[in-house]
Amino acid sequence: MHTTALVLFSGGQDSTVCLAQALCKYERVETIGFDYRQRHSVELQARLVVLDELSTQFPKWAPRLGPDHVIDLAVLGQISDTSLTRDMAFAYENTGLPNTFVPGRNLLFLTLAAALAYRRGLQVLVTGVCETDFSGYPDCRDDTMKAMQLALSLGLDKRLLIDTPLMWIDKAATWQLADDIGGQPLVDLIVEHTHTCYLGDREHRHDWGYGCGNCPACELRSGGWVRYRGENA
Ligand code: ZN
């Protein structure tokens, strides 16, 4: 029986839904985030606000929520040249991947998370990766997750589970999942406090939250919101 988990938590919509679900499912939950000198520190600020709001608004979850760990990954800036770490405009590469893509980034995140989970005695890694609203990230695929689970379990000589609750659902279903887990208060919390926009826009408020409204991350989030609201109209 798995009772403890480490959630890869970025402060975005997806990882917040994963965290809420983990707080329902597991008795002890810790969070890990990565500071890779994102162009905007908006996400890193958002994650602290979301952690605080989750504890305050859902007192039954507060005792389960353990320490938050932020890992300094400035080193990513040395091996990538992307619009997330440098001052470049968002664009698509010839490969069809957004230039926000840091090759293999998620593999690094999972490896570091596994090392921390081992040290902290946590059995499950929870991550909000998804193949459905697929942005073209090969390190978010289900096969990659299964291979990582095996590699990490072998390499640590300890069985580690990678839990991917969003793998096969789209963004509308992710909003619905938040609704199912925490009702309107959780949906409102996600709208108001989580951050998704690639441009770090916290000025423009839409009914689905803050963002520029035009970048691929905003398009996914708003498109999902419209379908979710339509289904609940
Ligand atoms: Zn945006």
Side-chain angles (χ1 to χ4, degrees):
M1 191 59 195
H2 300 100
T3 56
T4 59
L6 178 64
V7 180
L8 283 86
F9 177 62
S10 71
Q13 175 189 357
D14 292 346
S15 65
T16 299
V17 176
C18 289
L19 176 56
Q21 193 187 52
L23 288 165
C24 295
K25 237 168 122 176
Y26 305 108
E27 288 165 16
R28 184 159 63 91
V29 176
E30 299 187 12
T31 46
I32 183 171
F34 301 97
D35 180 357
Y36 48 99
R37 305 297 189 267
Q38 293 92 325
R39 262 173 93 203
H40 309 280
S41 55
V42 172
E43 269 200 9
L44 290 171
Q45 288 161 19
R47 59 194 300 289
L48 296 178
V49 176
V50 170
L51 285 173
D52 193 48
E53 290 287 330
L54 282 173
S55 296
T56 316
Q57 292 195 42
F58 299 89
K60 62 183 176 187
W61 292 344
R64 296 181 161 205
L65 186 57
D68 176 42
H69 312 268
V70 176
I71 307 297
D72 187 335
L73 270 188
V75 66
L76 272 191
Q78 294 174 26
I79 52 172
S80 66
D81 189 23
T82 81
S83 71
L84 282 187
T85 50
R86 305 267 176 95
D87 211 12
M88 278 163 55
F90 183 89
Y92 287 99
E93 310 274 13
N94 294 333
T95 54
L97 294 171
N99 65 351
T100 51
F101 182 65
V102 180
R105 187 182 68 182
N106 214 35
L107 306 178
L108 269 176
F109 289 177
L110 284 166
T111 305
L112 291 165
L116 183 72
Y118 185 96
R119 223 192 62 209
R120 302 285 304 164
L122 303 165
Q123 303 155 310
V124 182
L125 297 183
V126 183
T127 170
V129 291
C130 171
E131 272 205 24
T132 313
D133 280 330
F134 191 44
S135 304
Y137 299 100
D139 57 344
C140 294
R141 288 177 189 155
D142 193 49
D143 282 351
T144 309
M145 292 304 111
K146 291 197 164 82
M148 280 304 279
Q149 176 174 289
L150 183 62
L152 292 169
S153 294
L154 288 172
L156 295 168
D157 196 20
K158 190 177 186 189
R159 176 123 176 89
L160 188 87
L161 206 75
I162 300 184
D163 183 8
T164 57
L166 309 184
M167 184 57 80
W168 305 112
I169 67 174
D170 65 10
K171 274 283 191 289
T174 304
W175 284 110
Q176 185 60 53
L177 182 58
D179 199 338
D180 296 343
I181 294 168
Q184 197 60 45
L186 185 59
V187 173
D188 290 345
L189 186 159
I190 288 170
V191 166
E192 192 61 33
H193 298 295
T194 68
H195 185 81
T196 309
C197 174
Y198 282 142
L199 303 182
D201 186 325
R202 295 295 292 174
E203 279 173 48
H204 300 95
R205 173 65 154 83
H206 315 264
D207 49 3
W208 45 266
Y210 294 88
C212 72
N214 298 313
C215 75
C218 281
E219 279 177 5
L220 273 178
R221 179 164 166 147
S222 62
W225 174 263
V226 169
R227 291 198 310 280
Y228 156 69
R229 297 296 283 180
E231 284 157 18
N232 287 276

